[in-house]
DNA sequence: GAGTTTGAAACT
DNA sequence: CAGTTTCAAACTC
């Protein structure tokens, strides 16, 4: 496996390019025979998914032992050099302010680690990233949990330097070989290890200082050098690449004194640096508001590609804040992005602690790109799916995380999905490690659509909405019914399944159907740290449609009777949608029948692997290139009726069509006539619409102009400009006219006519004055 | 709204 | 792959 894509390599500094030491995939570096001799990641519970990533356990331990005033700022450009492993690297960020509180970045192992104990993660796996904020005291090393500094046999270690506030060199907690009694397994002794020092923050002036647990830094450095220590200066990149794995520039600023930490996550989509490092694009900062009593649990792990690192800064909720969100301006155009976030509110530290022993079924809320975009992280013990919505992103991501309580494939002591690390008396840090199933960018969404948050069951199952939104694919981890994900309907997303479901596939227009119920609340039940549970909001992108477009997009309800809406006869099913507000009978195109639905999808894909792909291919330039993928087979309609799929799609038949008597070609007079009529009809409709719109606008404008008068103290009547004064003046004029008629002894009829004429003149003056002034005057 | 027509999907 | 059947949408009245 290529650790670093060629496109990416050209963009990387030379020191970063030296990635052999951190290559953890099945292609181990030559200089690390010990690592090669270790168990391969692929041996660990291979996940039967296309996007399976061999989860190589990497442990990044960040021990923020710095003084309270010390700020730890780390900027990590997570390109392929940092996580250049085929395995998914899961980083568990545990910001801690208390001394000797380890911040553990832990990669996802192939097996799900549900263990809540902070340290049992002695994975034979090969890669550890140990991020140690400078331990102010050696006690920190000694107090560090074994799991955080576990040196796996033959495993490679990443030495990540943290930049101290005072500009001091980054002290990397270099795990002394064999220093970890719990994790030891004698790995370092027998095998030469590779240490790669990652200077975080891109500060070139900083020199990483390797500090061993029991040795001086200098000697440790020498030791490291002897062990083929490699220092990687990860500099912020302003250069962008057109292609390549996602890069995240992570800037983590921890102000222990201020009890706040900020993490700026910059991502590079297809090698494009979007944020912090880019001078053009302002970095999006994830504010980590952390109180002393609060704790944050972050599990971050790039999925498929080790070179892809997703860093999520978790903002510890201020007390009494039931919900935590992580702003993640990620534009995940690549697979393998994994974000695991577990948070605990500050108000419930006890629950956090209890979460160590109890299976956590939290629903994680990750705000991506803004507060309105959130990701549902139903982290059940059985399975979890993490949906990542990225505003502006054309992709919709759902990471599947399977959490198994028993990790048969896990490493020693890895029978847990959650590794909790107490960062302090009141600061338990729960490190969640889970097996990453897959992460698929599915929807080329241009905009997001809100999904009404729906309460989760205790097991994290998504409750059906009032609109009966369901999963298109059962999460049943049955390989035989797993569809070819590449052939799923566009916009299909993976969603958490219920029970032991591993994943589920959502229809492409799942969001569209949910537009009326804009939020889905996923409320975790027990085991979650928040007293009220964490509600999760998910915004699912539309299938390339904006919210307005989707809202306006008519969705015809189906009328299926016999197909159970599980065959392509059903347009809803064919389009990857759930039936909603349909007239169908015996509908199985819903969540209640996700198993049947999955089988149906499987059957359809078996018959036609491209069954769910759009039939009308998009033309590169204009609509002329649009053509039906299979062509029509019309015989009687002349391809000029909507029976014809080509005509329905407003495209002309092509050579792929097998139609008889086709009249749907360029020069067809019938077609031209129809098109002309259609255009004329459309023009009429547009004109009518425009006229209505204009009228409405005028009426609205009239309201707008007259509304102030209504509310004014002048008593002006709406729409008439007849104020009280005008009315009185008019009456006076009429009375005066009547008096004159009486004076000249005119007959009654004449008098009435005179009065009416005067009234007419008054009206004319009123109208005339209304167009000139807001306060017309009446002069008799 | 009921009945007919039509062609894609499903089936053999 | 071809022929037939099934199905639901499109269409007509």
């Amino acid at each position: 496996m290529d650790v670093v894509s060629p496109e990416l390599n050209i963009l990387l500094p030379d020191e970063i390019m030296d990635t052999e030491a951190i290559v953890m995939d099945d292609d181990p570096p030559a200089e690390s025979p010990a690592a090669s001799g270790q168990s391969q990641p692929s041996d660990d519970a291979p996940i039967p998914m296309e996007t399976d990533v061999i989860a190589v356990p990497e442990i990044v331990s960040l021990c923020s032992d710095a003084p309270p005033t010390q700020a730890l700022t780390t900027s990590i450009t997570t390109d392929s050099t940092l996580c250049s492993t085929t395995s998914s690297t899961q980083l568990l960020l545990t910001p801690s302010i208390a001394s000797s509180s380890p911040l553990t970045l832990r990669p996802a192992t192939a097996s799900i680690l549900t263990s809540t104990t902070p340290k049992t993660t002695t994975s034979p796996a090969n890669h550890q990233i140990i991020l140690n904020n400078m331990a102010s005291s050696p006690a920190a090393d000694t107090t560090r949990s074994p799991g955080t500094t576990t040196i796996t046999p033959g495993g490679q270690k990443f030495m990540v330097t943290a930049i101290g506030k005072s500009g001091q060199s980054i002290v990397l907690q270099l795990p002394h070989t064999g220093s970890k009694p719990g994790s030891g397994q004698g790995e370092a002794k027998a095998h030469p290890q590779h240490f790669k020092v990652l200077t975080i923050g891109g500060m070139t002036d900083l020199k990483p200082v390797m500090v061993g647990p029991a040795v001086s830094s200098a000697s440790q450095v020498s030791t490291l050098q002897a062990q083929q220590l490699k220092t990687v200066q990860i500099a912020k990149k302003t250069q962008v690449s057109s292609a390549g794995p996602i890069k995240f520039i992570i800037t983590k600023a921890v102000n222990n004194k201020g009890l706040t930490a900020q993490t700026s996550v910059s991502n590079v989509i297809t090698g494009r640096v979007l944020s912090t490092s880019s001078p053009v694009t302002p970095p999006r900062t994830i504010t980590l508001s952390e109180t002393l009593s609060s704790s944050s649990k972050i599990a971050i792990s790039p999925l498929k590609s080790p070179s892809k690192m997703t860093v999520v800064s978790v903002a510890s909720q201020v007390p009494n804040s039931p919900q935590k969100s992580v702003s993640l301006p990620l534009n995940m155009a690549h697979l393998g992005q994994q974000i695991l976030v577990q948070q605990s509110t500050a108000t419930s530290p006890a629950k956090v602690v209890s979460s160590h022993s109890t299976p956590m079924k939290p629903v994680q809320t990750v705000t991506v790109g803004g507060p309105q975009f959130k990701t549902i992280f139903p982290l059940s013990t059985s399975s979890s799916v993490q949906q990542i919505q990225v505003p502006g992103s054309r992709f919709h991501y759902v990471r599947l995380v399977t959490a198994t309580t028993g990790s048969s494939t896990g490493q020693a002591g890895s029978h847990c999905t959650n590794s909790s690390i107490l960062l302090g008396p009141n600061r338990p840090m729960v490190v969640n490690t889970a097996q990453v199933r897959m992460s698929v960018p599915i929807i080329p969404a241009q905009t997001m659509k809100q999904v009404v948050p729906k309460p989760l069951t205790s097991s994290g199952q998504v409750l059906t909405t009032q609109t009966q939104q369901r999963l298109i694919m059962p999460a049943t981890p049955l390989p035989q019914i797993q569809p070819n994900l590449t052939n799923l309907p566009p916009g299909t997303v993976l969603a958490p399944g219920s029970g032991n479901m591993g994943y589920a596939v959502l229809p492409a227009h799942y969001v569209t159907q949910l537009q009326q119920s804009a939020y889905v609340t996923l409320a975790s039940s027990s085991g979650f740290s928040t007293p009220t549970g964490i509600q999760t909001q998910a915004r699912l992108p539309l299938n390339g449609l904006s919210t307005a477009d989707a809202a306006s997009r008519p969705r015809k309800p189906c009328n299926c009777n016999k197909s159970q809406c599980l065959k392509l006869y059903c347009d809803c099913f064919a389009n990857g949608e759930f039936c909603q507000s349909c007239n169908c009978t015996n509908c199985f195109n819903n969540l209640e029948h996700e198993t049947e639905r999955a089988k149906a999808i499987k059957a359809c894909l078996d018959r036609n692997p491209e069954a769910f792909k759009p039939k009308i291919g998009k033309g590169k330039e204009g609509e002329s290139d649009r053509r039906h993928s299979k062509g029509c087979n019309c015989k009687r309609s002349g391809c000029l009726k909507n029976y014809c799929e080509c005509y329905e799609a407003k495209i002309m038949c092509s050579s792929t069509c097998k139609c008889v008597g086709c009249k749907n070609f360029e020069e067809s007079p019938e077609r031209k006539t129809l098109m002309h009529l259609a255009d004329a009809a459309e023009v009429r409709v547009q004109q009518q619409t425009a006229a209505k719109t204009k009228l409405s606008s005028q009426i609205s404008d009239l309201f707008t102009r007259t509304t102030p008068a209504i509310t004014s103290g002048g008593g002006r009547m709406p729409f008439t400009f007849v104020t009280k004064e005008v009315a009185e003046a008019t009456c006076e004029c009429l009375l005066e006219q009547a008096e004159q008629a009486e004076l000249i002894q005119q007959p009654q009829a004449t008098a009435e006519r005179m009065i009416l004429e005067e009234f007419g003149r008054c009206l004319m003056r009123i109208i005339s004055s209304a167009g000139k002034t807001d306060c017309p005057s009446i002069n008799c």
Side-chain angles (χ1 to χ4, degrees), chain A residues 393-412:
Chain A
S393 174
R394 295 178 60 83
F395 298 96
H396 180 200
Y397 296 86
V398 174
R399 184 179 67 249
L400 299 177
V401 176
T402 299
T404 59
T405 56
S407 174
S408 61
T409 60
Q411 301 303 323

Side-chain angles (χ1 to χ4, degrees), chain A residues 656-676:
Chain A
T656 58
C657 296
K658 303 176 184 65
C659 46
V660 176
C662 179
K663 297 175 181 178
N664 186 22
F665 54 92
E666 180 66 28
E667 301 300 329
S668 173
E670 292 85 353
R671 175 182 170 276
K672 289 182 178 179
T673 301
L674 286 176
M675 291 299 176
H676 179 73

Side-chain angles (χ1 to χ4, degrees), chain A residues 9-196:
Chain A
N9 288 337
I10 59 176
L11 301 175
L12 297 175
D14 295 335
E15 56 272 23
I16 296 179
M17 300 308 297
D18 187 4
T19 58
E20 294 85 359
I22 55 176
V23 172
M24 296 180 288
D25 57 358
D26 51 359
D27 187 8
E31 66 272 18
S32 64
S36 62
Q38 296 300 321
S39 63
Q40 294 299 322
S42 60
D43 296 335
D44 292 338
I47 304 167
M49 302 284 293
E50 291 182 356
T51 59
D52 280 349
V53 176
I54 299 169
V56 176
E58 291 181 359
I59 296 174
V60 176
S61 176
L62 253 177
C63 296
S64 62
D65 295 333
T69 58
Q70 182 176 0
L72 173 60
T73 301
T74 61
S75 175
I76 299 172
T77 300
T78 61
D79 53 3
S80 59
T81 60
L82 180 58
C83 299
S84 60
T85 61
T86 57
S87 65
S88 61
T89 300
Q90 186 176 17
L91 297 179
L92 299 180
L93 295 178
T94 303
S96 66
I97 44 180
S99 62
S100 71
S101 297
L103 174 61
T104 299
L105 297 176
R106 185 166 181 201
T109 59
S111 63
I112 288 140
L113 301 177
T114 56
S115 148
T116 58
T117 59
K119 49 212 154 242
T120 55
T121 57
T122 59
S123 58
N126 326 328
H127 304 290
Q128 289 179 340
I129 296 174
I130 299 172
L131 296 176
N132 281 332
N133 185 4
M134 183 54 188
S136 59
S137 64
D141 295 336
T142 59
T143 58
R144 183 176 58 252
S145 63
T148 59
T149 59
T150 297
I151 299 172
T152 59
Q156 295 177 352
K157 296 179 176 60
F158 294 90
M159 306 307 291
V160 180
T161 62
I163 298 170
K165 178 180 178 180
S166 61
Q168 292 178 351
S169 62
I170 299 166
V171 177
L172 292 178
Q173 178 74 36
L174 182 61
H176 187 273
T177 59
S179 63
K180 303 309 293 180
S183 62
Q185 300 180 354
E187 66 286 13
K189 295 178 180 178
H191 303 284
Q193 295 183 356
H194 299 281
F195 295 96
K196 179 164 285 186

Side-chain angles (χ1 to χ4, degrees), chain A residues 454-472:
Chain A
K454 300 212 159 195
L456 272 183
T457 60
S458 61
S459 62
Q461 181 178 1
V462 177
L463 295 180
T464 58
T465 64
Q466 59 183 3
T467 57
Q468 298 296 319
Q469 297 305 317
R470 301 135 207 168
L471 303 175
I472 194 174

Side-chain angles (χ1 to χ4, degrees), chain A residues 266-281:
Chain A
S266 300
N267 59 331
V268 176
I269 299 174
T270 64
R272 183 178 184 85
V273 177
L274 295 180
S275 68
T276 43
S277 62
S278 175
V280 177
T281 301

